[in-house]
Amino acid sequence: MSEAMLQLDGLTKGYLQGTPGAVEVLRGIDLTLSAGETVALVAPSGAGKSTLLHIAGLLDTPDAGRVVIAGQDMSGKGDRARTAMRRQDIGFIYQFHHLLPEFTAAENVILPQLANGAGRAAAAARAAELLDRVGLSARAGHRPAELSGGEQQRVAFCRALANRPRVLLADEPTGNLDPETSDRVFGALMALVAETGLAALIATHNMELAARMDRVVRLDNGRIEPGPV
């Protein structure tokens, strides 16, 4: 059996919204992803998918429970350790690409590597390799405003994978694209995931895309259940 890359144990999270008591969003989440596994996370809007992804990606903390990444329990770790783990071992993709507009496609993929200590030549080579894999070599010198929505999102995929993370978290990564572009972009993402062997948790409303992944889980009443909604 493949090594567990992401393990969520008993995660709970509630929010106070100006009324007595907390609104429970997560009620004991248990989920494990193995290396090389793609898992679709489906749920209605407002069910807590983004909250779950933020906790899994160490951008937020649970009220209780553990987040274990590549065998390392991140419970109680300080900001420095959490930041280092995010930079080195976690890749994020959002519905909106959030590319830096003043930099080219290649530079958007190079910069996270420089922040992680890579040399410029190695970072540029890695960026060129990734952009070539998603068919964007000819667009490497273009800024985001000169790229289509699908091209921008493919650059965002490359940026998320630039530092060779072990875990990829994606929140509706094709949600703002038309169906044809969504299908093409998702295919590029799945090819990258297959080649890198990381564990990917991808939130999506698109059940056709979800069915192309290894496993589908749903967030229902604050808990993880198997199968589609």
Side-chain angles (χ1 to χ4, degrees):
M1 184 175 180
S2 298
E3 180 185 0
M5 284 292 109
L6 175 64
Q7 185 176 343
L8 310 177
D9 292 334
L11 296 185
T12 65
K13 185 71 174 180
Y15 294 102
L16 292 171
Q17 297 187 336
T19 57
V23 176
E24 289 186 295
V25 179
L26 306 179
R27 305 181 181 187
I29 296 292
D30 294 310
L31 181 64
T32 299
L33 273 71
S34 300
E37 184 180 26
T38 57
V39 176
L41 175 65
V42 298
S45 296
K49 294 193 305 293
S50 295
T51 297
L52 176 57
L53 290 172
H54 286 171
I55 291 175
L58 308 179
L59 293 170
D60 197 359
T61 55
D63 296 332
R66 299 190 312 152
V67 177
V68 182
I69 305 219
Q72 185 171 349
D73 187 351
M74 299 304 296
S75 305
K77 298 288 186 181
D79 288 343
R80 180 173 296 181
R82 293 167 65 85
T83 298
M85 178 64 79
R86 283 197 303 269
R87 183 182 296 142
Q88 296 166 9
D89 288 318
I90 303 173
F92 294 92
I93 304 172
Y94 300 99
Q95 179 173 348
F96 300 99
H97 52 78
H98 300 302
L99 298 176
L100 298 173
E102 66 271 29
F103 294 101
T104 66
E107 289 166 341
N108 268 277
V109 184
I110 289 170
L111 287 172
Q113 300 177 73
L114 299 182
N116 199 37
R120 180 165 286 277
R126 173 69 171 163
E129 173 195 3
L130 288 170
L131 290 170
D132 179 62
R133 288 187 184 184
V134 298
L136 289 180
S137 291
R139 310 289 279 166
H142 291 69
R143 290 182 171 83
E146 302 170 300
L147 302 174
S148 70
E151 289 171 336
Q152 291 173 33
Q153 196 63 310
R154 277 184 278 168
V155 175
F157 293 170
C158 294
R159 179 183 59 187
L161 296 175
N163 286 330
R164 294 180 171 85
R166 302 194 208 190
V167 174
L168 177 69
L169 302 170
D171 195 356
E172 299 287 351
T174 62
N176 65 325
L177 303 176
D178 65 78
E180 182 178 350
T181 303
S182 174
D183 184 72
R184 184 169 64 250
V185 168
F186 186 80
L189 173 60
M190 287 296 96
L192 284 173
V193 169
E195 290 171 13
T196 54
L198 50 70
L201 180 61
I202 302 174
T204 181
H205 280 103
N206 188 324
M207 294 310 301
E208 291 184 6
L209 296 185
R212 292 164 62 179
M213 298 186 227
D214 296 320
R215 183 159 50 106
V216 179
V217 298
R218 58 189 172 89
L219 186 58
D220 184 13
N221 196 30
R223 299 183 186 276
I224 289 290
E225 304 289 349
V229 173

